[in-house]
Amino acid sequence: MAEIMFYSHPAYGPFHDVDQMNNNFYGKNELRAFHTDIQDNGDSYILEAELPGFDKEDIQIDIDNDRLTIQAVHKAENDQKDAQGNYLRRERYYGSYSRSFDISDIESSQISAAYENGVLKLTLPKRAVTVPTSRRLEIK
């Protein structure tokens, strides 16, 4: 059975305490890793990634050899001006998600993607399984 591996930041790792200290000092305004479900449909996998609030144009899917990377970038600006056009408040926010998946058992040229209602859906067709053949060599 083929297995899809993903690479993301672990919930607890060597920098957990440093991250926690930064969160306590600066606040927790960063974006979290997006939730992903992967289903095995026999001849393909269905990967669904929850990306609410993103436009389709904010999402990039890149394939580099046997690695598929999904990246979503969110930018927001909130300007409030008075009647003369002077800023009363101006906030800018930028955040990004990124997850990578091992697709070594996937037919990468056949992957398809759709985005609807905040859910990115990828269909990942499996590569045909090659069964090793056995034979006897003739000695000359």
Side-chain angles (χ1 to χ4, degrees):
M1 172 194 260
E3 181 178 326
I4 293 180
M5 304 280 298
F6 66 89
Y7 305 94
S8 65
H9 300 289
Y12 187 86
F15 299 106
H16 175 74
D17 294 334
V18 173
D19 291 339
Q20 189 64 40
M21 182 181 69
N22 282 334
N23 290 340
N24 291 340
F25 185 75
Y26 295 109
K28 291 180 82 170
N29 293 326
E30 79 282 353
L31 294 171
R32 294 286 181 199
F34 53 88
H35 296 281
T36 305
D37 296 325
I38 300 173
Q39 300 171 347
D40 187 344
N41 283 354
D43 62 344
S44 67
Y45 293 103
I46 302 297
L47 183 149
E48 292 183 334
E50 296 178 8
L51 296 166
F54 287 93
D55 293 328
K56 183 172 82 169
E57 295 76 24
D58 296 336
I59 301 170
Q60 293 179 333
I61 304 168
D62 296 312
I63 298 173
D64 184 19
N65 294 322
D66 288 338
R67 178 155 318 210
L68 179 135
T69 301
I70 301 170
Q71 182 175 11
V73 178
H74 189 69
K75 299 175 187 175
E77 290 188 15
N78 185 5
D79 294 341
Q80 291 182 349
K81 297 181 181 183
D82 62 13
Q84 291 79 30
N86 298 320
Y87 287 108
L88 297 175
R89 181 179 79 163
R90 185 172 190 190
E91 294 184 43
R92 289 163 300 286
Y93 178 75
Y94 174 88
S96 67
Y97 289 122
S98 181
R99 299 260 316 252
S100 292
F101 302 87
D102 176 17
I103 57 168
S104 56
D105 290 337
I106 301 299
E107 191 62 55
S108 63
S109 63
Q110 308 267 327
I111 295 174
S112 62
Y115 183 67
E116 186 175 345
N117 297 325
V119 177
L120 176 66
K121 183 177 179 179
L122 299 176
T123 302
L124 308 161
K126 295 179 183 178
R127 284 192 179 149
V129 177
T130 56
V131 179
T133 58
S134 62
R135 63 188 178 112
R136 183 168 289 170
L137 292 176
E138 182 182 331
I139 302 172
K140 295 182 180 182

